[in-house]
Amino acid sequence: MSARSLKGLRQFLDAEQQSGWLEGETTLNDIDERSESLEHRFKYVARFEKLLRRPQAQEVLEILRLYGKTCIPIPRATERYYWSVSCLPSTSDKPLVRVNASWMELFTLLPDPSTSLGANGGLRARFILHLSDFTADGSPEPDHLDEAMLAQCVEQPEDVSHFFWKADTLGVKVRGAASIRKFLANPHSLRAIRRFNLTHMNRGRNAYQASHCYSVADHMLGD
C-alpha cells in the first residue's frame, strides 16, 4: 500500500508500532515542535480563562495531562488533525473539556453535582470504549458485559456506571477524580482506552479541528 493511500495514524505508525504501544511494550518517538496557528490559538483563549475560574480546573488539567501522556499515541505529531480537545464546548451536557478523534467523542470531563462537593468541584468523566473489551468472552454482546471487571477499574463500585451504544461501543461513566485517575491507570481499562483511540485515530482526519483549544492542549502535552 502506498503512503498516499494510508489514512490516520497509519501514516505515522505501522501496525507493529501501534500494537506495541497498545500493549505497553513500545515507547513511541514523538516530534519536539508542535505545529499550530496563532489565530486559532487566540480563538479559544477566553474560554480557557473561563475554565480556569471553575473550581474543577486544576484537577481537570492534571487528569488531561495524564490522559495525553498515556492514552494518545504521538500526541504532538497528531495534534488537532487526528485528535483535538475542546474547552467548554457548547453542548447540552455542559462539559468542561472533550477529546475527539475522527467523528467520535473519546473522553469527556464534566462537573458532577451529585457529589458532596457539588458545584464546588465535583468531577465526572465519560469514556467511550469498545464493549468487547469488557465482556467475559470478548464479544460485543451487551448481555455479556462483565460488570465486576468494570468495578475493579475504579476506587468504589458505585463510582462507575455504563450505557450501551451502537454496535461494539460502550459508554463508561466514572465519578470522582480518584476513580477517574484509577481508571486511567488500571492496565485493563488503559488498554481499552488505547484500543478505542487507535480505532478512531486510524479512521482519518479529525472532524473537530475547528474546536481545538491549544491552551488546554498545552497542559495535555506538558508545555
Side-chain angles (χ1 to χ4, degrees):
M1 184 179 292
S2 68
R4 283 189 171 185
S5 64
L6 296 175
K7 293 198 306 181
L9 278 177
R10 298 180 187 88
Q11 299 172 80
F12 307 92
L13 304 170
D14 61 27
E16 184 177 353
Q17 289 172 309
Q18 291 190 34
S19 177
W21 178 79
L22 173 63
E23 302 299 342
E25 299 169 350
T26 299
T27 299
L28 302 175
N29 294 320
D30 205 351
I31 61 174
D32 294 323
E33 297 295 325
R34 296 159 61 194
S35 173
E36 68 169 286
S37 158
L38 287 178
E39 180 181 359
H40 195 90
R41 172 179 282 276
F42 290 137
K43 183 177 180 180
Y44 293 107
V45 166
R47 285 198 190 187
F48 179 66
E49 291 174 347
K50 185 176 180 181
L51 173 67
L52 292 181
R53 295 193 292 270
R54 300 293 291 268
Q56 302 93 342
Q58 192 58 42
E59 200 77 71
V60 164
L61 295 177
E62 289 178 5
I63 288 172
L64 278 177
R65 184 164 186 170
L66 177 61
Y67 187 91
K69 182 179 180 180
T70 61
C71 300
I72 301 176
I74 53 170
R76 290 170 175 266
T78 55
E79 181 182 5
R80 187 180 174 192
Y81 298 105
Y82 296 96
W83 68 271
S84 62
V85 59
S86 303
C87 181
L88 300 175
S90 302
T91 52
S92 59
D93 52 348
K94 298 182 179 179
L96 299 167
V97 293
R98 175 174 292 141
V99 180
N100 293 286
S102 184
W103 292 90
M104 179 62 67
E105 169 190 336
L106 304 179
F107 175 58
T108 301
L109 287 170
L110 311 98
D112 185 7
S114 70
T115 68
S116 58
L117 291 173
N120 295 318
L123 193 64
R124 58 195 170 101
R126 181 170 62 236
F127 297 87
I128 309 299
L129 305 169
H130 289 298
L131 171 59
S132 53
D133 281 318
F134 288 95
T135 53
D137 57 359
S139 71
E141 299 299 325
D143 58 350
H144 292 187
L145 177 67
D146 189 338
E147 295 190 40
M149 184 187 298
L150 266 180
Q152 290 171 5
C153 297
V154 295
E155 289 287 323
Q156 303 291 335
E158 58 268 25
D159 290 343
V160 66
S161 59
H162 65 274
F163 60 93
F164 298 113
W165 206 3
K166 54 189 177 183
D168 182 20
T169 312
L170 175 72
V172 178
K173 299 178 180 180
V174 180
R175 189 176 65 185
S179 279
I180 295 168
R181 289 175 181 276
K182 185 170 181 179
F183 198 85
L184 287 168
N186 178 276
H188 186 92
S189 47
L190 175 59
R191 185 187 186 281
I193 293 167
R194 288 182 169 189
R195 189 166 85 93
F196 191 83
N197 291 1
L198 284 174
T199 295
H200 291 278
M201 290 181 72
N202 274 316
R203 288 192 168 174
R205 288 263 178 157
N206 173 32
Y208 297 90
Q209 296 174 33
S211 65
H212 183 60
C213 179
Y214 282 106
S215 299
V216 175
D218 292 344
H219 291 267
M220 291 182 69
L221 301 177
D223 286 354

